[in-house]
Amino acid sequence: RGCRSCNSPCPSPFQLAALERQVFDFLGYQWAPILANFLHIIIVILGLFGTIQYRPRYIVVYAIWTAVWVTWNIFIICFYLEVGGLSKDSELLTFNISRHQSWWSENGPGCVRKEAPMSGIKGLDNHSYISVIGCALEYRYIEVMHSSFQILIALVGFVYACYVVSVFTEEEDSFDFIGGFDPFPLYHVNEKPTNLLFKQTYL
């Protein structure tokens, strides 16, 4: 079928965007986003497989997941903008395992990271106070832009997935798996009526 050559519901630039998000979340030890990104990548691969192998159900799973993915990214936006009592300084995204923050908090555009030794405080001789100055853009806005971009991609992927499923469904309705588009099966043979065969035999 012609649609077997269709692109996946999430083209390669979208997959690269998910991988890029995963890399920076790994660098920041953001465990909750890491798990969400991993699951997202798996579902994207499933949608790709469903498109190539003509499996509409897999594409439907991808379409449903996009709604979950949009919801997750809306939560991330609310988290960094501190909406509804959320705090970007909390350990929610690290499962309260560590106090790590977004990788962009110290490595954003223009950021300068400085370490000041805290030798004057007992018990902290081997620790340093880290300050970040000069950031051209606060890290939370970078995370918000990342999530907004993911939402945009998910919406485009959802529309494309629905389109592919509709095309597959139309083909299933019009394509006969035995006889193709021929209204009569290939194995159909026009046979003479039984009574005519008896007459020929009698003669």
Side-chain angles (χ1 to χ4, degrees):
R1 303 181 187 89
C3 278
R4 287 207 178 197
S5 61
C6 292
N7 293 326
S8 70
C10 188
S12 56
F14 296 170
Q15 298 169 7
L16 291 176
L19 290 173
E20 179 265 349
R21 178 83 172 270
Q22 182 73 311
V23 168
F24 288 114
D25 285 335
F26 258 117
L27 292 174
Y29 301 99
Q30 304 292 288
W31 304 116
I34 286 171
L35 292 177
N37 294 332
F38 178 76
L39 184 58
H40 178 62
I41 293 172
I42 295 298
I43 299 297
V44 168
I45 294 174
L46 186 68
L48 174 63
F49 177 80
T51 302
I52 296 175
Q53 297 296 323
Y54 196 80
R55 302 289 180 87
R57 290 184 180 180
Y58 292 173
I59 305 175
V60 171
V61 170
Y62 168 81
I64 295 173
W65 168 254
T66 56
V68 179
W69 186 242
V70 167
T71 303
W72 167 254
N73 281 279
I74 291 175
F75 166 75
I76 294 295
I77 291 174
C78 293
F79 177 82
Y80 282 106
L81 293 181
E82 300 183 327
V83 176
L86 296 171
S87 173
K88 69 181 189 305
D89 297 323
S90 70
E91 302 172 13
L92 184 62
L93 297 185
T94 60
F95 296 135
N96 295 323
I97 297 176
S98 64
R99 296 189 59 84
H100 287 94
Q101 292 183 330
S102 169
W103 181 82
W104 297 103
S105 63
E106 297 181 5
N107 301 275
C111 291
V112 178
R113 185 173 182 268
K114 292 186 176 182
E115 295 186 9
M118 302 178 65
S119 57
I121 302 178
K122 185 178 180 180
L124 295 177
D125 293 338
N126 296 326
H127 293 73
S128 299
Y129 172 75
I130 300 174
S131 62
V132 181
I133 60 174
C135 294
L137 186 63
E138 192 175 347
Y139 75 92
R140 62 174 178 169
Y141 297 121
I142 298 178
E143 292 287 358
V144 167
M145 287 190 295
H146 265 94
S147 294
S148 300
F149 183 62
Q150 290 293 330
I151 291 173
L152 177 61
I153 290 176
L155 293 176
V156 173
F158 175 80
V159 172
Y160 196 84
C162 292
Y163 166 74
V164 173
V165 170
S166 65
V167 171
F168 283 176
T169 304
E170 289 177 2
E171 284 197 354
E172 287 181 351
D173 292 339
S174 59
F175 189 86
D176 186 276
F177 288 94
I178 298 178
F181 290 98
D182 189 350
F184 298 98
L186 293 175
Y187 59 80
H188 178 78
V189 179
N190 291 325
E191 298 178 349
K192 294 181 180 180
T194 306
N195 58 346
L196 292 179
L197 293 175
F198 278 121
K199 287 182 180 180
Q200 290 179 356
T201 304
Y202 177 78
L203 293 175

